[in-house]
Amino acid sequence: MDTQKSKYKMNIQIKRIYDPVAPSDGKRILVDRLWPRGIKKEDAQLDLWAKEITPSNALRKWYHEDMTERWDEFQQRYLLELAEFQPQLEEYRQLAQQGTMTLLTAAKNQTHNHVIVLQDILQGRIKIKP
C-alpha cells in the first residue's frame, strides 16, 4: 500500500470540545494548551490531551491580538514550532491510521485556528521542513 496515499485517507475530524460526544468521534484528542472553560475532565471523555503540539503561549497570545490580520503569519510561525515535534506528530499520524480521530478545541473561530493547520499536517497536506 502506498504510504503517501494512506495519509490522505485518514479520517481526522475537527470538533469543538463543547459539542456532544458521539460514537463517530473515534479517538478524542484535545489539542488546546489550556483546559477549556466549563468542561469537567470526566465529561470530556478524552483519549489524549496533546498539549505539546499546540501553539506556544507566546504565539497563541500574539495571534489572538489580531486573528484576522495575523492568520498567514501565524500558520508559518506554528509550523516552525511544530518542526521540533516531528516524533510526536508521527505518533499521532500512526494513531490516525488506526481509525477515526477527532481533534478537539475550544476555539470559537472554526476557519482560522491552529487545529486546521494541525489536521493538514497530520493528513500530509502540509509538510514541515526540518
Side-chain angles (χ1 to χ4, degrees), residues 11 13 15 22-26 100 102:
N11 187 13
Q13 309 172 122
K15 190 173 176 179
S24 60
D25 290 347
T100 301
T102 300

Side-chain angles (χ1 to χ4, degrees), residues 76 83 110:
Q76 296 307 312
Q110 300 205 5

Side-chain angles (χ1 to χ4, degrees), residues 45-61:
Q45 296 182 34
L46 297 179
D47 292 293
L48 295 165
W49 184 6
K51 288 189 250 185
E52 75 278 8
I53 59 171
T54 64
S56 65
N57 283 327
L59 179 57
R60 183 179 53 78
K61 289 176 183 177

Side-chain angles (χ1 to χ4, degrees), residues 26-41:
K27 293 281 185 196
R28 293 173 49 86
I29 302 174
L30 178 62
V31 287
D32 282 341
R33 187 163 294 268
L34 305 175
W35 187 261
R37 292 181 188 177
I39 298 288
K40 294 179 183 175
K41 291 188 180 184

